[in-house]
Amino acid sequence: MQENPSHNEKIARLTFAGVYPHYVTKVESKGRTEQELKQVIEWLTGFNEHKQQELVDRKVTFETFFEQAKLNINAEKITGVICGYRIEEIENPLTRQVRYLDKLVDELAKGKKMEKILRV
């Protein structure tokens, strides 16, 4: 799948608040918890539970969300395919960061052990 500017712009405009409930639904439908989801988000972004809620309440875009994040040093170890894209080949930094988060949520929903998800 080829990356394109309109796709990248669409991702930048998405709000974290708009996507977060879908993440919760996905992980809970597979027997995982919202608390585990929050742990995964904190690992990737550095945002604790309070900060995550603040960002949801403020309805920040993914662009703002990741501008404020301090990405985990091991985030580059997140590889593979998500939504038809090979993460390590995504050139746009914001799109790649959003796909990192999508991949972690997917791994959580698929029942991967937390140590593997957090690249410990």
Side-chain angles (χ1 to χ4, degrees):
M1 207 175 248
Q2 186 70 24
E3 220 181 317
N4 65 58
S6 66
H7 178 259
N8 291 333
E9 182 61 32
K10 180 180 173 186
I11 286 178
R13 288 191 317 256
L14 285 172
T15 65
F16 178 63
V19 177
Y20 184 78
H22 298 287
Y23 289 156
V24 173
T25 299
K26 182 173 188 170
V27 301
E28 287 183 343
S29 72
K30 300 294 185 173
R32 301 305 284 259
T33 67
E34 185 175 2
Q35 195 59 42
E36 288 174 307
L37 173 61
K38 289 176 181 181
Q39 182 182 354
V40 166
I41 294 170
E42 183 170 358
W43 176 86
L44 179 63
T45 64
F47 297 142
N48 64 24
E49 191 172 333
H50 176 75
K51 181 65 174 180
Q52 290 176 41
Q53 188 59 53
E54 176 191 320
L55 295 168
V56 167
D57 293 344
R58 288 182 30 220
K59 295 182 172 68
V60 299
T61 63
F62 270 124
E63 184 171 37
T64 300
F65 181 86
F66 280 105
E67 282 174 356
Q68 295 180 16
K70 292 184 180 164
L71 228 55
N72 188 294
I73 193 165
N74 291 323
E76 290 183 358
K77 293 181 178 180
I78 303 168
T79 60
V81 177
I82 190 78
C83 300
Y85 292 91
R86 179 153 292 287
I87 294 170
E88 54 271 29
E89 294 175 359
I90 297 173
E91 292 179 19
N92 182 283
L94 176 60
T95 301
R96 186 173 49 250
Q97 292 166 353
V98 172
R99 295 305 182 201
Y100 283 160
L101 181 54
D102 290 342
K103 183 69 172 178
L104 294 177
V105 171
D106 195 48
E107 290 176 351
L108 184 62
K110 288 183 176 178
K112 255 191 164 181
K113 292 183 189 260
M114 194 60 80
E115 298 78 35
K116 295 274 190 188
I117 297 169
L118 304 182
R119 276 60 180 174
V120 178

